[in-house]
């Protein structure tokens, strides 16, 4: 499956091609965190249908403020 991930401090956002992929990934993530005695915060967890903005406005503002890496060559 095509999965992308965005991590912000202690939050993680995944995008998947299908709802089924998202459900499988979430089940696996529950299992994986359990191995480290951690758990998913279900009150902050949801599966949304896209199109939704993948990046929040705050992240877009920060990203646009980062200079182009070619500027220092």
């Amino acid at each position: 499956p095509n999965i992308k991930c965005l991590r912000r401090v202690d939050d993680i956002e995944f995008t998947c091609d299908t709802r089924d992929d998202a459900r499988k990934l979430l089940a696996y993530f529950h299992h994986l965190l359990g191995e480290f005695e951690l758990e998913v915060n279900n009150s902050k967890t949801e599966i949304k249908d896209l199109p939704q903005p993948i990046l929040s406005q705050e992240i877009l503002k920060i990203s646009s403020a980062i200079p182009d890496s070619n500027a220092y060559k």
Side-chain angles (χ1 to χ4, degrees):
N2 181 24
I3 298 170
K4 293 183 175 53
C5 175
L6 173 66
R7 182 169 183 252
R8 289 179 263 161
V9 187
D10 66 343
D11 292 331
I12 301 175
E13 216 173 280
F14 293 99
T15 59
C16 302
D17 288 335
T18 67
R19 278 186 153 282
D20 188 51
D21 286 347
R23 286 186 196 102
K24 289 176 184 175
L25 176 63
L26 184 56
Y28 173 74
F29 206 64
H30 273 277
H31 169 77
L32 182 65
L33 289 179
E35 290 184 10
F36 297 95
E37 297 183 13
L38 299 170
E39 56 188 43
V40 172
N41 183 341
N42 289 321
S43 68
K44 293 172 60 177
T45 302
E46 60 185 318
I47 296 175
K48 295 181 181 180
D49 289 321
L50 293 178
Q52 296 274 344
I54 294 175
L55 298 175
S56 68
Q57 290 300 316
E58 293 81 14
I59 298 296
L60 290 173
K61 287 178 192 175
I62 292 168
S63 297
S64 66
I66 298 171
D68 183 355
S69 62
N70 292 324
Y72 299 105
K73 290 184 178 181

